[in-house]
Amino acid sequence: MRAAADPELVERPLRRRFSAEYKLRILREVEACSRPGEIGALLRGEGLYSGHLSKWRRQRDAGALEALGRPRGRKPVDRRELEIAELHRRLERSEAELAKARTVIEIQGNVSTLLEQMLGTEGASESASGGR
């Protein structure tokens, strides 16, 4: 009696991945083949199927292979753009601080005026009463 293999212990084969450069190189080599049987020999040597060629030709004709060849991720940011963004942030902060300072100055002016008025009425009432 044979024991069933544990599915967790069986390693699954990895799917092969081909770079855009590899695909384009193989397509160029296939197009350079002129004698009968050359393409088959090339495919056997690389471990490829004719379906790979069909798919890769469609990708190439659609422009997908060139897109695959480009680096992925964000495009590098220009140093000047970073500096401009930082300067804009600083400007916004400075303008906000300036607005706060103007408000404080305005309030201080109002408090000063109010104190003068209060002291002025107290001084007038003291002088009217004869000053103690």
Side-chain angles (χ1 to χ4, degrees):
M1 189 158 130
R2 246 171 74 192
D6 187 3
E8 293 179 19
L9 298 177
V10 177
E11 286 189 38
R12 297 193 59 168
L14 295 177
R15 172 168 256 169
R16 292 171 60 190
R17 294 178 188 251
F18 305 102
S19 68
E21 293 83 18
Y22 177 79
K23 293 176 182 181
L24 290 171
R25 180 177 62 82
I26 295 297
L27 288 176
R28 281 193 295 272
E29 289 179 24
V30 166
E31 290 168 358
C33 293
S34 57
R35 294 189 315 235
E38 272 188 287
I39 295 176
L42 174 66
L43 292 176
R44 282 189 301 277
E46 295 289 332
L48 299 173
Y49 298 97
S50 60
H52 286 116
L53 296 179
S54 302
K55 182 177 179 181
W56 295 349
R57 283 183 181 127
R58 282 193 305 271
Q59 288 176 334
R60 180 193 59 197
D61 295 343
L65 291 182
E66 287 78 20
L68 287 175
R70 287 191 223 123
R72 295 176 60 186
R74 291 184 177 179
K75 294 180 181 174
V77 180
D78 186 15
R79 184 183 56 80
R80 291 176 294 176
E81 289 180 20
L82 289 175
E83 188 176 346
I84 289 171
E86 175 62 26
L87 291 173
H88 279 292
R89 283 191 294 273
R90 282 185 186 177
L91 176 64
E92 288 174 4
R93 265 187 261 134
S94 297
E95 287 176 344
E97 288 176 13
L98 177 61
K100 288 178 190 176
R102 285 182 173 157
T103 304
V104 168
I105 291 170
E106 182 181 340
I107 291 171
Q108 286 176 340
N110 291 342
V111 168
S112 175
T113 304
L114 184 62
L115 285 174
E116 286 177 5
Q117 288 175 353
M118 288 175 60
L119 290 175
T121 54
E122 285 181 14
S125 64
E126 284 180 12
S127 62
S129 64
R132 294 191 202 187

